[in-house]
Amino acid sequence: MKAYLTREYIFSASHRLHADGLSDEQNSSVYGKCNNPHGHGHNYSLEVTVSGQVSPETGMVCNLVDLDEAVQHTVLQRFDHRNLNMLADFAALVPTTENLTEAIYNILKQSFHSAHLEKVRIEETSKNSFEYAGGETPCR
Amino acid sequence: MKAYLTREYIFSASHRLHADGLSDEQNSSVYGKCNNPHGHGHNYSLEVTVSGQVSPETGMVCNLVDLDEAVQHTVLQRFDHRNLNMLADFAALVPTTENLTEAIYNILKQSFHSAHLEKVRIEETSKNSFEYAGGETPCR
Amino acid sequence: MKAYLTREYIFSASHRLHADGLSDEQNSSVYGKCNNPHGHGHNYSLEVTVSGQVSPETGMVCNLVDLDEAVQHTVLQRFDHRNLNMLADFAALVPTTENLTEAIYNILKQSFHSAHLEKVRIEETSKNSFEYAGGETPCR
Amino acid sequence: MKAYLTREYIFSASHRLHADGLSDEQNSSVYGKCNNPHGHGHNYSLEVTVSGQVSPETGMVCNLVDLDEAVQHTVLQRFDHRNLNMLADFAALVPTTENLTEAIYNILKQSFHSAHLEKVRIEETSKNSFEYAGGETPCR
Amino acid sequence: MKAYLTREYIFSASHRLHADGLSDEQNSSVYGKCNNPHGHGHNYSLEVTVSGQVSPETGMVCNLVDLDEAVQHTVLQRFDHRNLNMLADFAALVPTTENLTEAIYNILKQSFHSAHLEKVRIEETSKNSFEYAGGETPCR
Amino acid sequence: MKAYLTREYIFSASHRLHADGLSDEQNSSVYGKCNNPHGHGHNYSLEVTVSGQVSPETGMVCNLVDLDEAVQHTVLQRFDHRNLNMLADFAALVPTTENLTEAIYNILKQSFHSAHLEKVRIEETSKNSFEYAGGETPCR
């Protein structure tokens, strides 16, 4: 009786891909136009998947209001309408969407306990998406 | 040589979320505006995933005509353009999309045998989706 | 320097198409399964288009916050998560999406004055949409 | 025999909405989180609509290769993966999407002559879009 | 009280772009890979827009069943799952989407009379679309 | 620290479903209008999913430029704007999307080594998709 629930959130942010450990030439070679000075930005589509037993009483895996609150307070307020490079999360990490996906997974793993967090998926553009499921295989 | 095939169907229905075992205040608290009297509705997007060997002769996992017929006769005729609360399926169950997903999975598990039913996924809105795969992990 | 701004809102509602002036047979013939007793529902996608000069100071046609407030208070609170047949708007009108589009256009024409209301468009399903622009040709 | 052709291009950029003529408080009030320091970003979907007679010989309004080249060289190279606030186009203009739409319309009006430029439309997010058609009514 | 109704239909077809009046080199230059021998194909999304008074009795511009029947019998049966180059419509015309859009507009202008045909729009891919409105400006 | 990256590519091709081992009547019965003479076509949306450790230095699973080059040279140049029935890949195989998905998986398994190929998914139309993951369960 285990069901899976996925909910989508949208946020907008800017970033510049630049690794401190690489030379300017290497950065330009590795990241291409994503290394342009002054950065650029995206509308990120964030999908959070949780799972659990369907409650016989309410018919729900968990209340979406609880999930929305956790995502709002711990994720969206932190990343929406921000320059990712200026955040503490990316002081020592390049703000690629791979790293952003893992950061959000870890934040939600700590802040949301009403259902089991299965995975986090971020669409950076309509052509690229990234998923992270902790150490587990992100079955869905 | 096992491949997976997913096909999408659309249907429209109305429902009101209200648990008989809860007080009116509790219902309002748990379900919010989904508990509004007289109900509301959705366009449900139903995705059915089946799997099987690809036939060397026909190049197909199964004939989509067979899948369409099963879904049409056992699912769409039952739920499309209906008020879910009035159906026998939900006489003792709250018609959440979690419960609707599980109901449709169980119906198809019994009615469709041309390929292995992997899972059922329903998008209630463009922001919410639900998946059910019986007792199995809904890998895909 | 006149620009056009379109913003999308989503709401869910249920309805049953049934004209009091027609017999049961005629209703069934005209509306098909949309005439099913107890109703069904949709996720309605509402697009509001307004126009105006772009302010040289702010670079905006109008503030989206103002548009959002007008739509929230006069449209979404009235129609979201409702059974359209139970509303005063449709006491004497069949709640088709044509009539719903015109009703929302008229409401916004009265309640929103920060820019010129050009037209209202509603997608009932991904296959059907309706537009209304008052007496004007809905150029866009 | 006049037909209309619309082609979509995608680019990513960052911006911060801040009007020099307003105080910090006014900027915060007018632009909300879009005024956050360090900016944020979007995937912009740009739609260019042109019109013309369908050539009896080639069956085309114009060659898409020509349109692609004009947009690539005069628009995408200028705005893609950039911080709009750093560009000469927005030295004296707030980089709202209204102003960006008008800037791109004016650039294409000068650089593309294989068909009549009808209008430019930009989707800033899936919920907001902006259109500009010069002094004309953007019929389509 | 005039409203606009748009309905979407999908069909799949193949074509090869090749103008008899051009040399092989010219064809290759004008049409690029669309001139590849043996052709290629698309899922075409066809949008038909009609307009009319909203009936006070039924609340409808026209019955969608009538529009569906006209499109099914006169358009889809003719073009769906076909090679456009083999059809009489394109014996003397290159099967570009411009010409296909005009052909479908003309067919519907003759076969559908329950409401005023405003325009026909075809999406050839998610990036290209074409519109035709007879001699009129395709306002909408 | 294993993350998953999915990237989408679009190509257009034509095909006709016809099995040499079946009679004309059987072909018509099995494939319906997909067996129409002269073929038809689709816009295929190809999604390639790869996985790997996120590099602590670059923050990437692999460089998208490498993936794009592999897909461009080994898949798109082979299948885009082609008639699948004329290709060596389908000399002895019916060009169903099941077989096409498996063919592309096998090509990429040989040509792309910068990350682990997890699975290939092809959307034939907005309603049908197919997945193949070699002998593995296509978890994601």
Side-chain angles (χ1 to χ4, degrees):
Chain A
M1 291 281 295
K2 191 181 173 188
Y4 294 74
L5 180 165
T6 298
R7 187 146 167 102
E8 186 199 30
Y9 305 88
I10 306 281
F11 63 96
S12 297
S14 60
H15 68 166
R16 182 201 180 197
L17 302 188
H18 185 93
D20 290 339
L22 301 178
S23 70
D24 282 1
E25 278 189 1
Q26 287 171 316
N27 270 297
S28 174
S29 166
V30 168
Y31 297 119
K33 60 188 177 182
C34 295
N35 183 242
N36 279 1
H38 315 304
H40 60 283
H42 300 288
N43 305 319
Y44 294 93
S45 163
L46 164 67
E47 286 180 12
V48 179
T49 300
V50 303
S51 66
Q53 299 298 314
V54 178
S55 156
E57 188 172 45
T58 65
M60 302 195 298
V61 166
C62 69
N63 203 316
L64 285 179
V65 173
D66 297 337
L67 182 56
D68 286 358
E69 278 182 6
V71 173
Q72 180 64 39
H73 292 143
T74 66
V75 175
L76 299 183
Q77 287 188 4
R78 192 163 170 168
F79 297 113
D80 187 25
H81 281 72
R82 301 289 174 189
N83 180 331
L84 301 181
N85 298 64
M86 309 299 288
L87 302 180
D89 304 82
F90 299 108
L93 275 178
V94 185
T96 58
T97 306
E98 284 93 330
N99 279 335
L100 181 60
T101 306
E102 189 189 331
I104 291 177
Y105 176 89
N106 288 332
I107 290 169
L108 286 173
K109 201 70 185 177
Q110 289 197 329
S111 64
F112 181 71
H113 305 292
S114 303
H116 178 71
L117 180 65
E118 288 278 337
K119 68 167 186 170
V120 164
R121 177 177 175 269
I122 298 185
E123 260 189 45
E124 185 186 49
T125 72
S126 64
K127 298 216 162 295
N128 296 339
S129 66
F130 300 87
E131 295 186 30
Y132 184 68
E136 301 169 42
T137 306
C139 291
R140 185 174 56 92
Chain B
M1 292 281 295
K2 190 179 173 188
Y4 293 74
L5 180 166
T6 298
R7 187 145 167 101
E8 186 200 29
Y9 305 88
I10 306 280
F11 63 95
S12 296
S14 60
H15 68 166
R16 183 201 180 198
L17 301 188
H18 185 94
D20 290 340
L22 301 178
S23 70
D24 282 1
E25 278 188 2
Q26 288 172 315
N27 270 297
S28 174
S29 166
V30 168
Y31 297 118
K33 61 188 177 181
C34 296
N35 184 242
N36 278 1
H38 315 305
H40 59 283
H42 300 289
N43 305 318
Y44 294 94
S45 163
L46 164 67
E47 286 181 12
V48 179
T49 299
V50 303
S51 66
Q53 299 299 313
V54 178
S55 156
E57 188 172 45
T58 65
M60 302 194 298
V61 166
C62 69
N63 202 316
L64 285 180
V65 173
D66 296 337
L67 181 57
D68 286 357
E69 277 182 6
V71 173
Q72 180 63 40
H73 293 144
T74 66
V75 174
L76 299 184
Q77 287 189 2
R78 192 161 170 169
F79 297 113
D80 187 25
H81 281 72
R82 302 290 174 187
N83 180 332
L84 300 181
N85 299 66
M86 308 300 288
L87 302 180
D89 303 81
F90 299 106
L93 276 178
V94 185
T96 58
T97 306
E98 285 94 329
N99 279 335
L100 180 60
T101 306
E102 189 188 332
I104 291 177
Y105 176 90
N106 289 332
I107 290 168
L108 286 173
K109 200 72 185 175
Q110 289 198 328
S111 64
F112 181 71
H113 305 292
S114 303
H116 178 70
L117 179 65
E118 288 279 336
K119 68 168 186 169
V120 164
R121 177 178 174 269
I122 299 184
E123 259 189 46
E124 185 187 49
T125 72
S126 65
K127 298 216 162 295
N128 297 338
S129 65
F130 300 87
E131 295 186 29
Y132 185 69
E136 302 169 42
T137 306
C139 289
R140 184 172 57 91
Chain C
M1 291 284 294
K2 189 180 174 189
Y4 294 74
L5 180 166
T6 298
R7 187 145 167 102
E8 186 199 29
Y9 305 88
I10 305 281
F11 63 96
S12 297
S14 60
H15 68 166
R16 183 202 181 196
L17 301 187
H18 185 93
D20 290 339
L22 301 178
S23 70
D24 283 0
E25 278 189 0
Q26 287 172 316
N27 269 297
S28 173
S29 165
V30 167
Y31 297 118
K33 60 188 177 181
C34 295
N35 184 242
N36 279 1
H38 315 304
H40 59 283
H42 300 288
N43 304 319
Y44 294 93
S45 162
L46 165 68
E47 286 180 12
V48 178
T49 300
V50 303
S51 67
Q53 298 300 312
V54 178
S55 157
E57 187 172 46
T58 65
M60 302 194 298
V61 167
C62 69
N63 203 316
L64 285 179
V65 173
D66 296 337
L67 182 56
D68 286 358
E69 278 182 6
V71 174
Q72 180 63 40
H73 293 144
T74 66
V75 174
L76 298 184
Q77 288 188 4
R78 192 162 171 168
F79 297 114
D80 187 25
H81 281 72
R82 301 291 173 189
N83 180 330
L84 300 181
N85 299 65
M86 308 299 289
L87 302 180
D89 304 81
F90 299 107
L93 275 177
V94 184
T96 58
T97 306
E98 284 94 328
N99 280 335
L100 179 61
T101 306
E102 189 189 333
I104 290 177
Y105 176 90
N106 288 333
I107 290 168
L108 286 174
K109 200 72 186 177
Q110 290 197 329
S111 62
F112 181 72
H113 305 292
S114 303
H116 178 71
L117 179 65
E118 288 279 337
K119 68 168 186 169
V120 164
R121 177 177 174 269
I122 299 184
E123 261 188 45
E124 185 185 49
T125 71
S126 64
K127 299 216 161 296
N128 297 339
S129 66
F130 300 87
E131 295 186 28
Y132 185 69
E136 303 168 41
T137 306
C139 290
R140 185 173 56 90
Chain D
M1 291 282 296
K2 190 179 173 187
Y4 294 75
L5 179 166
T6 298
R7 187 144 167 101
E8 186 200 30
Y9 304 88
I10 305 281
F11 63 96
S12 296
S14 61
H15 69 166
R16 182 201 181 199
L17 302 187
H18 185 93
D20 290 339
L22 301 178
S23 70
D24 282 1
E25 278 190 1
Q26 287 172 317
N27 270 297
S28 174
S29 166
V30 168
Y31 297 118
K33 60 188 177 182
C34 295
N35 183 241
N36 279 1
H38 315 305
H40 59 284
H42 300 289
N43 305 318
Y44 293 94
S45 162
L46 164 67
E47 286 180 12
V48 178
T49 300
V50 303
S51 66
Q53 299 299 313
V54 178
S55 157
E57 188 173 45
T58 65
M60 302 195 298
V61 166
C62 69
N63 202 318
L64 286 180
V65 173
D66 297 337
L67 182 56
D68 286 358
E69 278 182 5
V71 174
Q72 180 64 39
H73 293 144
T74 66
V75 174
L76 299 184
Q77 287 188 3
R78 192 161 170 169
F79 297 113
D80 187 25
H81 281 71
R82 301 289 174 189
N83 180 331
L84 300 181
N85 299 64
M86 308 299 288
L87 302 180
D89 303 81
F90 298 106
L93 276 178
V94 185
T96 58
T97 306
E98 284 94 330
N99 280 336
L100 180 61
T101 306
E102 189 188 332
I104 291 177
Y105 176 90
N106 288 332
I107 290 169
L108 286 174
K109 201 71 185 177
Q110 289 198 328
S111 64
F112 181 72
H113 305 292
S114 303
H116 178 71
L117 179 65
E118 288 279 336
K119 69 166 186 169
V120 164
R121 177 178 175 269
I122 299 185
E123 260 188 46
E124 185 186 48
T125 71
S126 65
K127 298 216 162 295
N128 297 340
S129 65
F130 301 87
E131 295 186 28
Y132 185 69
E136 302 168 42
T137 308
C139 290
R140 186 172 55 92
Chain E
M1 291 283 296
K2 189 181 173 187
Y4 294 74
L5 180 166
T6 298
R7 188 147 167 100
E8 186 200 30
Y9 305 88
I10 306 281
F11 63 95
S12 297
S14 60
H15 69 166
R16 182 200 182 199
L17 301 188
H18 186 94
D20 290 340
L22 301 178
S23 70
D24 282 1
E25 279 188 2
Q26 288 173 315
N27 269 297
S28 174
S29 165
V30 168
Y31 297 118
K33 60 188 177 181
C34 296
N35 184 241
N36 278 2
H38 315 305
H40 59 283
H42 300 289
N43 306 318
Y44 294 93
S45 163
L46 165 67
E47 286 181 12
V48 179
T49 299
V50 303
S51 66
Q53 299 299 313
V54 178
S55 157
E57 188 172 45
T58 65
M60 302 194 300
V61 166
C62 69
N63 202 318
L64 285 180
V65 174
D66 297 337
L67 181 57
D68 286 358
E69 278 182 5
V71 174
Q72 180 64 39
H73 293 144
T74 66
V75 174
L76 299 183
Q77 288 189 4
R78 192 160 169 169
F79 297 113
D80 187 25
H81 281 73
R82 301 289 173 188
N83 180 331
L84 300 181
N85 298 66
M86 308 300 288
L87 301 180
D89 303 81
F90 299 107
L93 276 177
V94 185
T96 57
T97 306
E98 285 94 328
N99 280 334
L100 179 61
T101 306
E102 189 188 333
I104 290 176
Y105 176 90
N106 288 332
I107 290 168
L108 286 174
K109 202 70 185 178
Q110 289 198 328
S111 64
F112 181 72
H113 305 292
S114 303
H116 178 70
L117 180 65
E118 287 280 335
K119 68 168 186 168
V120 163
R121 177 177 173 269
I122 299 184
E123 260 189 45
E124 185 186 48
T125 71
S126 64
K127 298 215 162 295
N128 298 338
S129 65
F130 301 87
E131 295 186 29
Y132 185 69
E136 302 169 42
T137 307
C139 290
R140 184 170 57 92
Chain F
M1 291 284 296
K2 189 180 173 188
Y4 294 74
L5 180 166
T6 298
R7 188 148 168 98
E8 186 200 29
Y9 305 87
I10 306 281
F11 62 96
S12 296
S14 61
H15 68 167
R16 182 202 182 197
L17 302 188
H18 185 94
D20 290 339
L22 301 179
S23 70
D24 282 1
E25 279 189 1
Q26 287 172 316
N27 269 297
S28 173
S29 165
V30 168
Y31 297 118
K33 60 189 177 182
C34 296
N35 183 243
N36 279 1
H38 315 305
H40 59 283
H42 300 288
N43 305 319
Y44 293 92
S45 162
L46 165 67
E47 286 180 12
V48 178
T49 300
V50 302
S51 66
Q53 299 300 312
V54 178
S55 156
E57 187 172 47
T58 65
M60 302 194 298
V61 166
C62 68
N63 202 317
L64 285 179
V65 173
D66 296 336
L67 182 55
D68 286 359
E69 277 182 6
V71 174
Q72 181 63 40
H73 292 145
T74 65
V75 175
L76 299 184
Q77 287 188 4
R78 192 161 169 169
F79 297 113
D80 186 25
H81 281 72
R82 302 289 173 188
N83 180 331
L84 301 181
N85 299 65
M86 308 299 289
L87 302 180
D89 304 80
F90 299 107
L93 276 177
V94 184
T96 58
T97 306
E98 284 94 330
N99 280 335
L100 180 61
T101 306
E102 190 189 332
I104 290 176
Y105 176 90
N106 288 332
I107 290 168
L108 286 173
K109 201 71 185 177
Q110 290 197 328
S111 63
F112 181 71
H113 304 293
S114 303
H116 177 70
L117 179 66
E118 287 279 335
K119 68 168 186 170
V120 164
R121 177 177 175 269
I122 299 184
E123 260 190 46
E124 185 185 49
T125 72
S126 64
K127 297 215 162 297
N128 296 339
S129 65
F130 301 87
E131 295 186 30
Y132 185 69
E136 302 169 42
T137 307
C139 290
R140 185 170 56 94

